């Protein structure tokens, strides 16, 4: 029996793609996933792009997405052009270009494969320890400023150790760490990890320098299937120079296993 | 006065691209930059791709390349298809696909801009301390096995602290650190950094597990113009799970400034 709209999570509805009669792929981008000024969140857009790539892939999961953010993407109809590369027994490649009314806004290298729940053979990524979600600082209610759609779609609880800035006590370290899950309780999967990889505010917020930091390129690697429940996301900037900043992101699932890592290059105010 | 062939460095010759009469871009890939089995090095190929992107860009330097390695690329003629994205005052985007006789083998998101020599406003990337190049372990002469072209093009001196494996004493940490420069003495620039970002052996070598580790996707961020002389490159794996490994790379110039960082996802033997 098909699910009714009410049974489908907001994230799944907002990232849905459909095949057009002409063989293309179309999405109706939901303006409710914005980060201000009507601009849609980059992680949300990667979810849409991954769904387009999976339509034709023999493999079920996105494992690596590398995206160039060509220009801001608004809500509304969007066309996705999927150019399939070689597909093998282990993995498949494609290039996906997302275009809205203003033209192409996102070009992405996508690799799909089958992910598992294997424990790591080798890791130097121990899960950080932070107080339970109820002891942390919900960002949904602490934002203050103008309404940002993304903040309503996610339940994000900042580690108090990295939340000083929300109470006027900025840190000198560009580090944010939080529990994260979809607000409607939908459990994480590789698509949701693409969203989580770009869901925290810019790390400049942690040092009391809020502002716009548009993503130039973002690579997300999904390293395993996440367990149900809360995930932990950590974002840090390691180098700010010449008007550019990196943002390093790691995500652990509720069992403490690393399930995604990401790096983006962003422009910053000088 | 144009340079003679002898005055042009081997790297510049091997990465040269030319515009064809039909408006395309062509390269003659040099089989001397292989990593075994006639397969060309991924960093060398990024140098060729970046030159193709720069032909049409209003900006002089590659700052971010994100590449999908679709299949192995052999030496010989290759065509490069450059699809320009938006170009602004600060940066420009393009997608470059490199195809050889077997078909498309590399698809890359390229961002170009103007890099400088600014000191970092914020950094948690202090340059590692290692003994001078002459106190380190040259990998060119220690390889032993079959000749690998790449090893002749580069002068790489491994930090003895990460070179135990070359003398039968593997470590338990997947970390390699080395001085690096082009063998003919050509000074580094952003194009050479793309090469250096994929120039060390797989970090599995450090733990005594040599073997093939084909790159699936690689993102390189060039963070500044490198000073002349030796650079330091550090490569580490942080997570090996389910037949996948990451390789994290950082490069510092001779003044100790971080000039590039990279991350790749590779397949590994299980």
């Amino acid at each position: 029996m098909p699910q009714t709209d009410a049974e489908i999570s907001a994230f799944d509805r907002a990232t849905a793609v459909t095949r057009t009669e002409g063989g293309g792929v179309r999405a109706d981008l939901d303006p409710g996933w914005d980060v201000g000024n009507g601009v849609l969140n980059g992680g949300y857009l990667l979810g849409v792009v991954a769904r387009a790539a999976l339509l034709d892939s023999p493999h079920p999961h996105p494992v690596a997405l590398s995206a160039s953010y060509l220009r801001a993407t608004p809500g509304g109809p969007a066309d996705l052009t999927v150019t399939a590369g070689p597909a093998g027994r282990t993995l498949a490649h494609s290039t996906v270009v997302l275009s809205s009314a203003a033209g192409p806004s996102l070009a992405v290298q996508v690799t799909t494969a089958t992910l598992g729940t294997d424990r790591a053979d080798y890791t130097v990524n121990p899960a950080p320890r932070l107080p339970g979600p109820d002891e942390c600082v919900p960002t949904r209610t602490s934002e203050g400023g103008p309404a940002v759609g993304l903040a309503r779609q996610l339940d994000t609880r900042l580690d108090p150790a990295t939340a000083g800035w929300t109470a006027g006590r900025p840190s000198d370290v560009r580090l944010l760490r939080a529990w994260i899950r979809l607000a409607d309780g939908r459990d994480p999967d590789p698509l949701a990890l693409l969203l989580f990889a770009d869901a925290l505010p810019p790390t400049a917020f942690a040092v009391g320098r809020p502002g716009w930091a548009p993503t130039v390129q973002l690579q997300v690697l999904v390293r395993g299937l996440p367990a149900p429940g809360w995930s932990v996301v950590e974002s840090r900037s390691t180098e700010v120079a010449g008007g550019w900043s990196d943002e390093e992101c790691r995500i652990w699932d509720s069992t403490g296993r690393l399930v995604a890592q990401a790096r983006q290059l962003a422009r910053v105010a000088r």
Side-chain angles (χ1 to χ4, degrees), chain A:
Chain A
M1 199 167 69
Q3 290 181 296
T4 66
D5 255 21
E7 287 169 326
I8 301 174
S9 86
F11 178 68
D12 293 325
R13 266 200 313 274
T15 55
V17 296
T18 52
R19 179 94 59 193
T20 63
E21 285 185 15
V25 180
R26 184 144 258 244
D28 188 18
L29 302 177
D30 184 338
W33 295 74
D34 76 299
V35 291
N37 302 322
V39 173
L40 294 177
N41 170 255
Y44 160 68
L45 294 173
L46 289 190
V48 176
V49 163
R51 283 199 197 277
L54 289 170
L55 279 180
D56 277 329
S57 171
H59 303 292
H61 304 129
V63 297
L65 275 81
S66 291
S68 288
Y69 288 81
L70 310 179
R71 54 167 66 86
T73 303
D79 287 305
L80 295 115
T81 307
V82 181
T83 306
R89 197 176 49 84
T90 306
L91 57 88
H93 293 284
S94 57
T95 300
V96 180
V97 177
L98 183 151
S99 302
S100 59
S105 61
L106 190 59
V108 191
Q109 302 303 328
V110 182
T111 306
T112 54
T114 299
L115 291 165
T117 55
D118 313 62
R119 303 304 297 184
D121 302 312
Y122 177 89
T123 181
V124 291
N125 293 295
R129 291 175 169 275
L130 56 170
D134 291 341
E135 276 69 60
C136 287
V137 181
T139 54
R140 282 203 291 175
T141 55
S142 65
E143 301 253 337
V148 170
L150 183 69
R152 287 190 301 271
Q153 309 288 355
L154 292 164
D155 192 349
T156 310
R157 312 284 181 93
L158 282 172
D159 183 349
T162 69
W165 59 280
T166 64
R169 295 186 304 275
S171 169
D172 57 2
V173 179
R174 291 173 183 252
L175 170 67
L176 296 170
R177 193 183 289 136
W179 297 101
I180 193 167
R181 65 179 178 185
L182 285 159
D184 65 5
R186 176 196 184 279
D187 277 318
D189 66 358
L191 293 164
L193 295 178
L194 301 176
L195 170 69
F196 295 173
D198 188 38
L200 292 189
T203 53
F205 282 51
V207 295
R209 301 183 62 168
W212 199 242
T215 303
V216 175
Q217 284 200 21
L218 167 61
Q219 182 190 57
V220 186
L221 307 181
V222 182
R223 304 302 305 272
L225 292 179
W230 288 97
S231 301
V232 170
V233 58
E234 180 192 87
S235 183
R236 69 172 75 224
S237 173
T238 81
E239 190 89 8
V240 182
W244 304 87
S245 176
D246 61 359
E247 301 269 1
E248 295 270 355
C249 174
R250 292 186 290 178
I251 305 173
W252 295 265
D253 73 4
S254 58
T255 72
R257 200 162 48 94
L258 184 82
V259 288
Q261 57 197 149
R263 178 181 284 143
Q264 67 174 264
L265 183 68
R267 290 293 300 172
V268 290
R270 302 197 68 173

